[in-house]
Amino acid sequence: MKNILEAPFMVETVRTLTNLYRLGWDERNGGNLSVLLDEDVVAEYLDTGKVIREIPMTFDASSIIGKIFLVTGTGKYFKNVQYDPAYNLGIIKIGKSGKVAELLWGYTDGGRPTSELPAHLLSHITRLAIDPSHRVVMHTHPTNTIAMSLVHSLSERDFTRTLWQMQTESIVVFPEGVAVLPWMVCGTNEIGEATAEKLKEQRLCVWAAHGIYGVGRDLDEAFGLIETVEKAAQLYMLSVNAGIKNGITDSQLKDLAAVFGLNYNKDYLD
Ligand code: 2HA
Ligand code: ZN
């Protein structure tokens, strides 16, 4: 068996979590991440039939039985992952009933997957149905995105339009727009189901006064989506009190969409 700490999926995940911490988005145990792994790849590093222990789940993941995920641990700090990946992360396989996570590696202190496992697994189920190459669900607490959710209309149309108006990149990177959930209790099946529902149409979902979810085919895609929203939100927060005079207009956004061939959400431009 090869050394799992040198597996490209592990190295890239640890680097991503370290970077998210460095950006100031994942204070204390804030944020969580899950990456769907290819069983053939995992088998180079682990016996995928050897279960360390079973962790019960309170929701039905029967449509993804046998799938294997690398998942951040509940209560663990992104800050610390690079120093002890096996303590802070786990690799789980969805067990036969779809109601149990079989631990294959990690959570060495007897830990468990993130409290947001319902949102993660339900979002994976939703995105895999749309895009078989989907792999990553990322949840983080980007400062300006949260700040914007405190002062801005939470209408998805209004929120997306403002993000598009702040910088040229926004509509190019997320032409479908950004979903927004009002404040809800986190860690529940309800917020997980609501998030997964939103991710049918979009790859980004803001949780008001909490953070954001982003999904993608790899870590870069999920991170790049969130990073672009956060940059636009930062521009908004820096300029809103001075009065925004030169935001990108609807006709300019349409020109941009025409040149870049963007399949943007037509309901969001006048
Ligand atoms: O894991 O971010 O949403 C801590 C959180 C919960
Ligand atoms: Zn959170």
Side-chain angles (χ1 to χ4, degrees), residues 112-145:
R112 299 169 46 85
T114 169
S115 59
E116 302 294 0
L117 194 64
H120 280 258
L121 294 189
L122 297 172
S123 297
H124 281 292
I125 291 167
T126 295
R127 293 306 304 183
L128 282 168
I130 296 163
D131 177 7
S133 54
H134 158 83
R135 291 291 177 273
V136 173
V137 175
M138 184 179 288
H139 168 61
T140 178
H141 300 168
T143 312
N144 293 283
T145 304

Side-chain angles (χ1 to χ4, degrees), residues 29-47:
N29 62 319
N32 26 78
L33 178 71
S34 59
V35 183
L36 172 59
L37 303 175
D38 184 342
E39 174 144 19
D40 295 344
V41 174
V42 180
E44 295 173 27
Y45 305 92
L46 290 177
D47 176 353

